[in-house]
Amino acid sequence: MQFGSRRRKRLLHVAAAAGVLALTAGCSSGLAGGGSEAAADGPIKIGMLAPFSGSESAFGEYMQNGAQLAVNEINADGGVLGRDLELLVEDDACDATTAVSGANKLVTDGIVASVGGYCSGATLPTLPIFDEAGIPMVIPAANSNELVDQGLPGVFLINGTGDQQAEAAVTYAKQIGATNVAVVDDATSYSADLAGAFTEQATAAGLDVVVSETITPGENDYSAVATTLAAEKPALVYWTGYYQEGGLIARQSQDAGFDGVFLVADGSVDAKFAEIAGEGYTENVVGTFTQTPDMIDGADQWIADYEELAGDPPGPYSTQAYDAVRVMAQAIEDAGDTEFDNVVAGLEGLKDFDTFAGPLTFTDTHTLSGGGFVIVAIDPATGAFVLEDDLQG
């Protein structure tokens, strides 16, 4: 009943939009003339929102290049439904307001599917926009549980959820014998969601959560939380925010006397973390993360193809963005058209689709059945995160 209501609402929206277009065509010759025929015969437009400005901009480049590589390969093989794919990108700056503007721009530009989403806090407000426009989403990076808790029929995640990442963090804490732990978040949807999942699972596993702090992102002085960590002496602290603040907290907590393990979530897994923390401050730093191409056997040719396209090596979420395009393309091909309900059915019908994270079959909640998270550590020579433990026992 709920799904039917959404569908009717979407159809009414489309009908209203068609009416506006008809009136516009009548008032301005040529604006919509031949548009529908061109749209049916032209490329299939897919959209990507990612951060291309701000502190997370490096991830946007990785994601765009990964997605474009998939588009190029698919088009070289004949495209989808006999038509080329075209990737349209907009900057969300990891900011909710900017993301809403970008999502509306992509809808206006005629995309039929979305393959973007890095920051959960910026992705969440775009969900109703794409849902209202009848645009299915395969989200490659953002992974807050809130994204799927809303139950929107067109939202699919191909990165592990916050619950799955928290499970990896708790597994690692138990593996190293930590009995008292701490958690620090930055109050964003992604970070707070992950911190809450970690606290719940750690407590259920018998670990004592001795510190639970929330910081304000964008500041330079985190001495208050650093002093607390030094005083309470948890064996492991899980930082669930991004690398800008994470690098500062890692450094300042060590200066204050904290000598436990500094575990960071995937939002902090980037070589810039080591730059910000500084030399001598990363020996105790590890992270929960999904594997990057350099950690995957047999990915050499893919890395070479990526470097030929981008001019630089791939980074975090380049493979997920690559797979998001391939997953969406296969669903459209299986659907036989780009109609929302048919594409959603195509996504739900994928069975063991080959991806970098392994065979993909979506769960009933449109997430992966397994998160695929591993433990990574910082290479002191390069500052890059490398595989430390695959958590396979």
Side-chain angles (χ1 to χ4, degrees):
M1 179 65 74
Q2 188 179 15
F3 177 78
S5 297
R6 287 198 194 92
R7 187 181 182 189
R8 284 194 297 274
K9 188 176 182 181
R10 216 169 12 247
L11 290 173
L12 287 171
H13 173 81
V14 171
V20 170
L21 284 174
L23 289 172
T24 305
C27 296
S28 176
S29 63
L31 182 60
S36 58
E37 182 177 349
D41 295 338
I44 296 174
K45 297 179 180 179
I46 57 176
M48 168 174 278
L49 282 169
F52 297 101
S53 62
S55 61
E56 311 301 316
S57 58
F59 294 100
E61 296 295 330
Y62 295 143
M63 291 169 63
Q64 180 182 3
N65 291 327
Q68 188 61 55
L69 179 57
V71 167
N72 292 352
E73 291 179 357
I74 291 167
N75 289 345
D77 286 340
V80 177
L81 304 177
R83 298 162 61 186
D84 279 352
L85 290 181
E86 180 181 357
L87 178 68
L88 306 182
V89 299
E90 288 292 332
D91 182 19
D92 69 17
C94 268
D95 171 74
T97 302
T98 307
V100 166
S101 176
N104 283 316
K105 176 70 163 51
L106 289 174
V107 171
T108 301
D109 288 344
I111 66 165
V112 299
S114 169
V115 293
Y118 170 72
C119 290
S120 296
T123 305
L124 277 165
T126 70
L127 266 57
I129 296 171
F130 289 134
D131 179 65
E132 186 75 11
I135 294 172
M137 304 173 69
V138 173
I139 301 173
N143 60 358
S144 168
N145 291 319
E146 289 186 72
L147 294 166
V148 291
D149 285 350
Q150 299 184 29
L152 295 176
V155 177
F156 294 77
L157 271 61
I158 63 168
N159 192 13
T161 64
D163 282 342
Q164 291 166 336
Q165 184 165 197
E167 182 180 359
V170 172
T171 297
Y172 182 70
K174 293 171 62 180
Q175 191 168 288
I176 64 172
T179 57
N180 61 333
V181 298
V183 61
V184 182
D185 70 83
D186 67 5
T188 62
S189 173
Y190 150 77
S191 181
D193 178 76
L194 180 54
F198 175 77
T199 299
E200 182 178 345
Q201 293 186 37
T203 302
L207 306 183
D208 188 11
V209 183
V210 297
V211 175
S212 181
E213 294 278 347
T214 298
I215 60 97
T216 301
E219 298 182 345
N220 292 318
D221 181 5
Y222 295 108
S223 57
V225 70
T227 301
T228 300
L229 292 174
E232 297 296 331
K233 301 185 183 306
L236 174 147
V237 57
Y238 193 29
W239 161 244
T240 63
Y242 298 97
Y243 60 75
Q244 181 69 40
E245 294 78 15
L248 293 173
I249 296 171
R251 181 187 186 98
Q252 292 170 16
S253 62
Q254 283 195 49
D255 285 343
F258 171 70
D259 60 359
V261 173
F262 198 90
L263 178 64
V264 304
D266 55 351
S268 283
V269 176
D270 188 271
K272 290 185 178 179
F273 184 100
E275 293 179 20
I276 295 167
E279 187 176 354
Y281 287 91
T282 59
E283 285 80 0
N284 67 333
V285 177
V286 289
T288 49
F289 199 58
T290 50
Q291 296 189 66
T292 51
D294 57 296
M295 305 175 193
I296 301 172
D297 292 336
D300 294 350
Q301 185 56 56
W302 188 90
I303 293 172
D305 292 343
Y306 180 100
E307 290 180 345
E308 182 178 0
L309 170 73
D312 290 303
Y317 301 110
S318 50
T319 56
Q320 287 90 342
Y322 173 84
D323 281 334
V325 172
R326 294 176 55 250
V327 165
M328 187 64 82
Q330 186 62 54
I332 294 173
E333 188 72 45
D334 293 346
D337 57 40
T338 58
E339 202 279 328
F340 176 85
D341 290 343
N342 294 338
V343 176
V344 169
L347 289 165
E348 292 174 335
L350 292 175
K351 301 295 183 186
D352 297 330
F353 185 79
D354 187 33
T355 71
F356 273 104
L360 180 149
T361 302
F362 286 111
T363 67
D364 291 343
T365 57
H366 295 178
T367 62
L368 301 181
S369 56
F373 286 97
V374 299
I375 300 299
V376 293
I378 293 178
D379 180 349
T382 65
F385 282 84
V386 296
L387 181 63
E388 172 78 4
D389 188 334
D390 63 8
L391 296 179
Q392 296 304 304

